[in-house]
Amino acid sequence: MSTTKHARIGEEVWKSRVDKVNAELVTLTYGSIVQQLCKDLEGDYTEVNKQLDKMGYNIGLRLIEDFLAKTNMGRCNGFRDTAESIAKIGFKIFLNITPTVTNWSADNKSFSLVFEENPLADFVELPDDGRAQNELWYSNILCGVLRGALEMVQMQVEAHFASDVLRGNDSTEMRVELIRIIDDELPPGDE
Amino acid sequence: PLARRLSSPHPSSSSSSQPLPATTEDASDDALFLRLEALGYKVGQGLVERFSRDRPRMVETLDVIKFVCKDLWMICWRKQVDNLKTNHRGVYVLTDNSFRPLSKMSTEPGGNGVLRAQPYLWFPCGVLRGALANMGIEATVHAECTELPGAVFKIETAQKAPLV
């Protein structure tokens, strides 16, 4: 599938088949969750990252179903096609953003998503404790969502943020790597 | 429910990682309520800060309540409250006949839908309380679902509520 076709599908599904919700409500709700996690885990940001990823994973496991139902997509034609679908359709219909797919590795197994906008991080400032800037990946829930969603379609991936404008980096970049295609077996930890 | 799984305390912070026995169900429900309510509270505060900024100051409690029923409800749940009742002594009852978070829940007979929908009202309770607090009204907010997908929110403002 050509990339413009992805964009067209994303646009169309977002317009016609998606229930919208106020962006500030999402931003504030997510912010409130992260803030609470930081408090509960007493500023152990590594653990906060882990919890956010886990929450995202649980969302992803379910979200893929909604994605497939809304888009009526068939099987992707290779990992490059998957990447385009994630960026131009997945992110478009659920967050109304389209991150850029870039920095492919030579073996076509890993790529970067560069976020020009990120609704989760609007009006956000990281805690000014000298550590959060180096340790907290504020939007880490997104990594979990991708991991969970892709696992349900037989792709085991590893996803992590490589940079974040909230930390003072120039861009917000997530790295996604295909570990393996899961052969006909039940996903571990499936509830 | 999903809400519980996503909000359950992290295993490392509590010593018992095994499933809680049935007798502590109420206690864990309370903890869950407080947690979700507190998350909502912050969201309510933020929303009001942002969306009441360019409006004239609301003097009367009723003006604030109307703002909640119309504007805030619209922002959060894309419709307005269907019915507002008050006893004129600080108690306001807001009825939404089709509350959006509950709109797609199963109403299968015997599925205990009404009971299972309850936790999904706790976060909105917090949103309301947080919103009211930032507009200068201390209140307690309770919500009940009697028939899906409707929800009834009871706001008791602190200043005028009669002692029972």
Side-chain angles (χ1 to χ4, degrees):
Chain A
M1 246 198 292
S2 71
T3 60
T4 51
K5 191 168 177 203
H6 287 102
R8 193 178 54 71
I9 295 176
E11 188 69 38
E12 197 182 301
V13 173
W14 182 77
K15 263 196 210 145
S16 61
R17 266 174 262 174
V18 177
D19 276 343
K20 312 294 190 298
V21 61
N22 183 286
E24 273 89 354
L25 179 62
V26 175
T27 306
L28 287 165
T29 305
Y30 184 67
S32 169
I33 289 171
V34 178
Q35 197 185 351
Q36 187 64 42
L37 271 178
C38 291
K39 205 171 129 198
D40 288 350
L41 300 169
E42 292 158 1
D44 180 350
Y45 295 123
T46 314
E47 192 57 33
V48 173
N49 293 339
K50 211 185 281 176
Q51 288 301 314
L52 287 173
D53 180 89
K54 193 170 132 196
M55 288 163 81
Y57 177 76
N58 285 328
I59 292 171
L61 294 180
R62 298 165 173 84
L63 197 64
I64 185 68
E65 194 134 356
D66 197 38
F67 173 88
L68 294 172
K70 284 197 167 93
T71 59
N72 213 1
M73 288 274 287
R75 184 182 291 272
C76 284
N77 210 344
F79 199 49
R80 276 182 175 263
D81 192 20
T82 307
E84 290 294 326
S85 302
I86 292 168
K88 296 207 170 68
I89 307 178
F91 275 100
K92 174 69 190 176
I93 68 177
F94 293 119
L95 286 178
N96 193 23
I97 55 172
T98 308
T100 310
V101 181
T102 181
N103 291 344
W104 278 98
S105 63
D107 60 2
N108 278 336
K109 284 197 168 165
S110 61
F111 63 92
S112 291
L113 290 170
V114 176
F115 296 82
E116 247 147 64
E117 41 181 349
N118 175 6
L120 295 185
D122 279 343
F123 348 109
V124 171
E125 276 178 42
L126 297 184
D128 190 15
D129 57 4
R131 290 190 302 115
Q133 269 76 8
N134 300 319
E135 296 168 21
L136 178 62
W137 293 115
Y138 183 82
S139 308
N140 219 35
I141 198 165
L142 297 178
C143 299
V145 172
L146 284 194
R147 190 164 63 83
L150 290 176
E151 186 175 298
M152 294 304 273
V153 286
Q154 273 71 50
M155 273 175 276
Q156 189 189 344
V157 300
E158 198 277 327
H160 62 268
F161 276 97
S163 65
D164 190 338
V165 287
L166 291 181
R167 289 186 171 202
N169 302 131
D170 291 335
S171 65
T172 301
E173 175 178 349
M174 190 203 290
R175 196 79 199 144
V176 183
E177 187 185 356
L178 177 65
I179 307 293
R180 66 184 180 113
I181 301 286
I182 304 164
D183 296 318
D184 299 321
E185 56 174 309
L186 285 173
D190 185 22
E191 293 174 356
Chain B
L2 180 63
R4 171 165 301 147
R5 245 172 300 154
L6 291 183
S7 68
S8 63
H10 184 248
S12 72
S13 61
S14 69
S15 53
S16 64
S17 57
Q18 65 266 46
L20 295 161
T23 48
T24 66
E25 182 80 345
D26 279 351
S28 78
D29 260 10
D30 280 351
L32 182 58
F33 169 79
L34 288 174
R35 210 174 152 79
L36 288 172
E37 212 264 355
L39 287 174
Y41 188 85
K42 283 182 216 150
V43 174
Q45 285 185 311
L47 285 174
V48 162
E49 197 172 306
R50 218 172 141 66
F51 290 102
S52 68
R53 206 186 57 174
D54 300 323
R55 295 173 53 98
R57 174 183 288 273
M58 292 167 267
V59 185
E60 298 290 322
T61 305
L62 191 60
D63 292 333
V64 174
I65 300 284
K66 279 185 185 161
F67 173 81
V68 167
C69 293
K70 291 182 178 164
D71 301 62
L72 185 71
W73 226 267
M74 202 59 157
I75 290 160
C76 295
W77 303 299
R78 289 168 61 92
K79 70 190 284 290
Q80 297 187 354
V81 161
D82 293 307
N83 188 284
L84 165 64
K85 284 195 189 120
T86 174
N87 68 352
H88 300 289
R89 295 169 72 184
V91 178
Y92 300 85
V93 178
L94 283 53
T95 309
D96 188 334
N97 296 324
S98 176
F99 191 52
R100 200 148 169 264
L102 309 183
S103 65
K104 293 201 174 144
M105 289 194 177
S106 164
T107 51
E108 185 197 8
N112 248 340
V114 168
L115 207 63
R116 288 161 76 179
Q118 201 67 32
Y120 291 86
L121 299 177
W122 297 344
F123 181 84
C125 278
V127 172
L128 295 185
R129 200 170 63 85
L132 291 168
N134 256 28
M135 293 187 284
I137 297 177
E138 285 227 24
T140 56
V141 181
H142 290 283
E144 226 174 89
C145 169
T146 45
E147 194 187 349
L148 283 166
V152 179
F153 292 85
K154 190 175 172 195
I155 298 170
E156 294 180 59
T157 56
Q159 49 265 61
K160 289 176 202 157
L163 291 170
V164 181

